Amino acid sequence: MGLDDDAREYHRRDPPGKIEISTTKPTNTQRDLSLAYSPGVAAPCRDIAADPESIFEYTAKGNMVAVVSNGSAVLGLGDIGAAASKPVMEGKGVLFKRFADIDVFDIELDIDEVDPFCTAVSAMEPTFGGINLEDIKAPECFEIEERLREEMDVPVFHDDQHGTAIISGAALLNATDIADKELADLDIVFSGAGASAIASARFYVSLGAKRENITMCDSSGIITEERAEAGDVNEYKREFASDVDGGDLADAMEGADVFVGLSVGGIVSQEMVRSMAADPILFAMANPDPEITYEDAKSARDDTVIMATGRSDYPNMVNNVLGFPFLFRGALDVRATEINEEMKRAAATALAELARKDVPDAVVKAYGDDPLQFGPEYVIPKPLDPRVLFEVAPAVAQAAMVSGSARTDIDLEQYRERLEARLGKSREMMRVVLNKAKSDPKRIALAEGTDEKMIRAAYQLSEQGIAEPVLLGDADEIARTADGLGLSFHPEIVDPDERDVTAYGDQLYELRKRKGITRREANELVRRDTNYLGSVMVKAGDADAMLTGLTHHYPSALRPPLQVIGSAADTDTVAGVYMLTFKNRVVFCADTTVNQDPDRETLAEITRHTAELARRFNVDPRAAVLSYSNFGSVDNEGTRKPREAVELLHEDPDVDFPVDGEMQADTAVVDEILNGTYEFSELDEAANVLVFPNLEAGNIGYKLLQRLGGAEAIGPMLVGMDEPVHVIQRGDEVKDIVNLAGVAVVDAQE
């Protein structure tokens, strides 16, 4: 099937459409229903009647946006009517929810006239925290937005106008910098004079472009003052009439620095591109076919051509989804009365700045593994970059507070943390640890220092103040890689070929001389194997923690730190723990990487260590030692080990957290089973520390939870080491390295 048929099948698949309504509170009992509706609902109704602002406290209004259209200008389909526009408006709701966790009702109004349309939308103000106008034809869209902004006390935003303006404005800021030009000096030509073109031209002026340097063309050619005086253009086009004799698009583009296409495909030739000024900037945003193809524009000339389109299969996609979800997120969260020019500029500036930062591996993979690095081929972030939410929304919220649009002030640092939590529980949990790490950064040795991911992680650790990274490996190679990545930082490097590491070799010899190693072998190991070098540095106190494993099998990466650093003084047990985060809960799973067949003493130690780890994430541990038996229901050697481990823990006066077992996995995590059937259990709530009976069960269990349960996994985190060491998994992403480095720093602090 082709794309059209696939889309039809996608939309008609049961249930039809793309959105549904779900509840956010329990509705399982009669009391739940009496709270949700009659008679309990009367109490918040009375409170809102007495204090209208309390509607934000008691209802979903503060997170609810209406996407409103009359279907008069739908995508490239034109005036197809309100009903036919509904799939697009539902899709808009999907994007609001997916990218900014904003709930949406799509409203399709079969009203063409401005007055009744405005009356209908304005009457909906009690329901919604914001209004997103969509796919309304020009020039009516200008009047509708202007009137609703005046009449309503919630943000009203016509995305077709301002979305393209903001995203392309962000691209223009970066493109201007790359081309080494000044925004105020740019000669800018527009092809198209509809809503998005006029709004973009206005916004570029707001960013610093000069009105007199903008030439706008419609299907009849350059919009001139002569045409304006003759009544040949509407009042909105008249704003950008130029004092020239006239001409067509080719005439306008000659000598121009910037071309902005918001018209139709295929109208710009290579010759027209060659007529532009040096290092031209072309935003050919007609969809699906740009005014000139990416290939034709790039090959038209030998200098730098910065090209953006509206297509995802070319670099620099100008996509409105980079704007409207995050504008509304920031506006809603400060209860803004409008989305003003200051807020739009803040959004564009935040997007431009984000494009200059290192791109997460997950984003690179989502777009085909091609390198994404600030430059002519990457002037705006990708829509799937999760950082857009907590970069743009806080910038918008701050601009709203400064400009007077906000009705409530918020702490921006706390706000960023709440936004990260919206992207998943793992971000919320890691924020706890990373904040602790930033309070007292420690030196962390990165054993695989020449690896690109390690270098990028070191840059982020340094830039964010999480740790003081020390890269181990060839200094020249590290410098070349960092330079190639465009990372302007100068990390500490320990290169065993340039630095005298004899003292580390001697220390390794002293540690291992009665375990089959000679002095010469010890010195050779610290020179050629950075896992041994890093381990000895930590043992000697020259580094506070160590990370390795990115390019090694787990056992071979773990062996050097176990030999050199070993387990803590009060234990012989080292274990691997994964933290799994679900939407509303967190569980720590152990042991998932180290102990194949632990005895009862080892199981007890693993439980202690994992509970200590949970507390570093500000989680009060409730531990369950798992089996296929519930509290003696099966009695054999396998079930006795976890049962006896629990007995050891109950006898230990230093164990200050609830723990019980042996128990089955569903008993451990389901309150109704735990407290309904086994009311004698030491756990009064579902367990959040799950200790598996052996490595096989632990490894299988956490991977099933991760893949089938939709959990995000952080780890493996080594517990029980005498000094902080973590062995990451081969192929982990930069964010995983940064996360485990943060855990290692907190370990070192404690």
Side-chain angles (χ1 to χ4, degrees):
M1 292 193 298
L3 181 63
D4 287 351
D5 288 336
D6 287 344
R8 291 185 181 101
E9 177 60 27
Y10 174 88
H11 282 81
R12 72 162 63 99
R13 190 183 309 146
D14 194 47
K18 301 185 285 284
I19 58 177
E20 67 177 5
I21 297 174
S22 62
T23 59
T24 59
K25 302 294 188 298
T27 55
N28 301 317
T29 66
Q30 186 277 332
R31 178 166 176 77
D32 289 340
L33 295 179
S34 69
L35 294 172
Y37 197 54
S38 181
V41 74
C45 289
R46 287 193 294 267
D47 289 355
I48 294 170
D51 176 14
E53 283 295 299
S54 66
I55 192 171
F56 293 102
E57 179 182 353
Y58 289 121
T59 76
K61 176 174 179 172
N63 196 51
M64 184 73 68
V65 166
V67 174
V68 186
S69 181
N70 62 6
S72 59
V74 179
L75 301 176
L77 304 175
D79 188 352
I80 60 174
S85 75
K86 187 171 177 63
V88 177
M89 303 313 130
E90 284 189 358
K92 199 80 172 187
V94 170
L95 299 179
F96 266 109
K97 188 65 177 178
R98 162 64 177 80
F99 289 101
D101 195 27
I102 292 173
D103 297 315
V104 165
F105 278 106
D106 59 292
I107 310 291
E108 293 77 34
L109 298 175
D110 193 10
I111 304 172
D112 291 328
E113 296 80 14
V114 170
D115 287 347
F117 187 94
C118 290
T119 299
V121 176
S122 182
M124 293 188 284
E125 182 170 335
T127 303
F128 298 104
I131 305 292
N132 184 97
L133 300 172
E134 193 75 19
D135 292 349
I136 302 168
K137 68 183 178 71
E140 289 88 341
C141 62
F142 295 107
E143 184 179 353
I144 287 171
E145 187 191 43
E146 289 169 4
R147 283 185 46 179
L148 290 175
R149 287 189 63 181
E150 293 174 0
E151 295 172 7
M152 302 185 74
D153 203 27
V154 298
V156 177
F157 183 81
H158 184 209
D159 187 45
D160 299 304
Q161 289 185 56
H162 308 296
T164 301
I166 292 167
I167 313 310
S168 66
L172 183 63
L173 290 173
N174 281 337
T176 303
D177 188 43
I178 293 167
D180 195 22
K181 299 182 179 182
E182 295 294 328
L183 195 59
D185 297 333
L186 295 178
D187 285 320
I188 304 172
V189 173
F190 277 82
S191 174
S196 58
I198 291 170
S200 296
R202 288 173 173 173
F203 188 62
Y204 294 177
V205 172
S206 176
L207 290 175
K210 298 295 186 185
R211 161 66 191 83
E212 57 269 24
N213 293 343
I214 294 176
T215 302
M216 187 169 288
C217 302
D218 61 11
S219 58
S220 299
I222 298 173
I223 299 172
T224 65
E225 291 184 357
E226 181 181 355
R227 288 180 60 194
E229 291 170 1
D232 184 40
V233 296
N234 63 45
E235 61 179 296
Y236 301 101
K237 293 183 181 183
R238 194 175 302 133
E239 179 181 344
F240 289 96
S242 298
D243 185 14
V244 296
D245 293 335
D248 58 15
L249 179 60
D251 296 320
M253 288 182 64
E254 189 172 349
D257 297 289
V258 181
F259 166 80
V260 182
L262 290 160
S263 51
V264 295
I267 63 171
V268 174
S269 68
Q270 287 188 310
E271 186 59 38
M272 293 160 72
V273 174
R274 282 192 283 269
S275 76
M276 296 178 69
D279 300 321
I281 299 165
L282 289 93
F283 296 166
M285 297 180 285
N287 255 329
D289 300 315
E291 287 81 359
I292 182 171
T293 66
Y294 174 83
E295 295 84 359
D296 283 350
K298 297 291 281 189
S299 63
R301 30 195 313 158
D302 296 328
D303 56 358
T304 301
V305 177
I306 300 176
M307 175 75 169
T309 71
R311 295 177 55 135
S312 60
D313 52 348
Y314 292 135
N316 299 325
M317 179 188 184
V318 177
N319 191 319
N320 286 15
V321 78
L322 279 168
F324 66 84
F326 316 106
L327 272 165
F328 272 99
R329 180 76 276 159
L332 291 173
D333 291 337
V334 293
R335 299 183 192 171
T337 58
E338 63 175 349
I339 294 176
N340 57 32
E341 203 67 18
E342 292 89 344
M343 295 160 73
K344 290 185 285 184
R345 282 200 302 268
T349 302
L351 284 170
E353 291 174 352
L354 179 58
R356 297 167 182 260
K357 298 182 179 181
D358 188 46
V359 182
D361 293 331
V363 178
V364 176
K365 289 179 181 178
Y367 289 91
D369 286 325
D370 291 329
L372 297 175
Q373 185 177 330
F374 180 67
E377 306 299 292
Y378 184 72
V379 297
I380 44 176
K382 295 292 188 180
L384 291 177
D385 192 331
R387 300 171 301 168
V388 177
L389 175 62
F390 47 87
E391 294 291 339
V392 176
V396 171
Q398 182 178 32
M401 291 187 289
V402 171
S403 65
S405 170
R407 280 179 288 201
T408 183
D409 286 345
I410 58 175
D411 181 287
L412 288 173
E413 192 56 41
Q414 293 178 4
Y415 180 49
R416 286 186 177 90
E417 294 181 12
R418 295 202 307 272
L419 289 173
E420 289 205 45
R422 286 185 179 274
L423 294 180
K425 194 73 174 175
S426 65
R427 287 182 175 273
E428 180 182 356
M429 300 305 298
M430 279 311 309
R431 181 53 54 190
V432 172
V433 167
L434 295 178
N435 282 344
K436 288 182 181 179
K438 290 177 183 178
S439 69
D440 184 17
K442 300 295 184 181
R443 286 169 55 83
I444 184 162
L446 303 179
E448 295 143 312
T450 59
D451 187 272
E452 176 183 309
K453 290 182 180 179
M454 281 293 185
I455 295 169
R456 290 168 55 206
Y459 174 75
Q460 292 186 23
L461 291 169
S462 178
E463 183 184 46
Q464 298 175 37
I466 296 169
E468 299 170 10
V470 182
L471 291 165
L472 310 186
D474 186 286
D476 291 337
E477 184 179 349
I478 292 170
R480 283 194 304 269
T481 303
D483 186 60
L485 292 169
L487 304 179
S488 57
F489 82 126
H490 302 285
E492 181 179 348
I493 299 172
V494 174
D495 184 342
D497 290 332
E498 294 183 357
R499 184 178 297 193
D500 184 4
V501 293
T502 305
Y504 293 136
D506 291 343
Q507 185 163 356
L508 178 60
Y509 171 69
E510 291 299 323
L511 289 168
R512 305 291 297 171
K513 64 185 179 182
R514 290 187 177 274
K515 297 183 179 179
I517 194 171
T518 67
R519 188 181 298 276
R520 184 181 64 80
E521 289 170 338
N523 278 282
E524 184 65 19
L525 275 177
V526 297
R527 278 197 301 271
R528 63 176 174 81
D529 190 333
T530 51
N531 282 324
Y532 278 101
L533 175 60
S535 298
V536 180
M537 287 178 64
V538 173
K539 185 72 173 180
D542 293 336
D544 300 301
M546 170 181 161
L547 251 61
T548 186
L550 189 63
T551 59
H552 295 78
H553 289 293
Y554 196 90
S556 61
L558 179 59
R559 190 176 300 112
L562 277 178
Q563 291 178 352
V564 175
I565 297 171
S567 60
D570 58 349
T571 181
D572 294 321
T573 300
V574 173
V577 182
Y578 272 93
M579 180 176 73
L580 299 181
T581 61
F582 301 84
K583 184 174 182 180
N584 294 311
R585 72 192 304 174
V586 176
V587 295
F588 294 83
C589 296
D591 174 18
T592 56
T593 60
V594 180
N595 298 281
Q596 291 190 21
D597 188 22
D599 57 21
R600 63 176 189 169
E601 288 80 10
T602 301
L603 284 174
E605 281 300 304
I606 291 171
T607 306
R608 292 187 188 94
H609 294 325
T610 309
E612 292 170 3
L613 177 66
R615 283 179 167 149
R616 288 176 207 147
F617 287 87
N618 288 359
V619 173
D620 291 328
R622 300 183 300 275
V625 185
L626 303 181
S627 179
Y628 61 91
S629 167
N630 275 319
F631 305 105
S633 62
V634 176
D635 186 34
N636 58 36
E637 183 180 355
T639 62
R640 280 194 289 272
K641 279 198 301 184
R643 190 182 315 145
E644 291 169 359
V646 171
E647 291 172 359
L648 291 174
L649 291 164
H650 285 171
E651 293 168 1
D652 186 348
D654 292 330
V655 173
D656 58 352
F657 57 89
V659 55
D660 216 335
E662 87 286 11
M663 69 177 76
Q664 295 177 359
D666 58 344
T667 301
V669 299
V670 179
D671 276 329
E672 289 81 359
I673 300 176
L674 186 64
N675 294 309
T677 305
Y678 304 104
E679 70 280 355
F680 56 81
S681 170
E682 295 289 326
L683 305 181
D684 56 2
E685 295 181 58
N688 52 28
V689 171
L690 304 180
V691 180
F692 289 84
N694 54 48
L695 179 59
E696 185 175 32
N699 197 269
I700 291 170
Y702 101 80
K703 288 184 176 178
L704 284 174
L705 284 169
Q706 180 186 9
R707 300 301 181 183
L708 298 182
E712 291 188 56
I714 294 175
M717 294 172 274
L718 272 181
V719 294
M721 293 290 293
D722 196 38
E723 299 288 348
V725 174
H726 291 296
V727 179
I728 58 184
Q729 298 279 44
R730 295 182 76 181
D732 271 356
E733 297 179 0
V734 172
K735 72 177 179 63
D736 302 312
I737 302 170
V738 172
N739 285 342
L740 283 182
V743 174
V745 169
V746 173
D747 289 345
Q749 290 172 346
E750 297 181 355

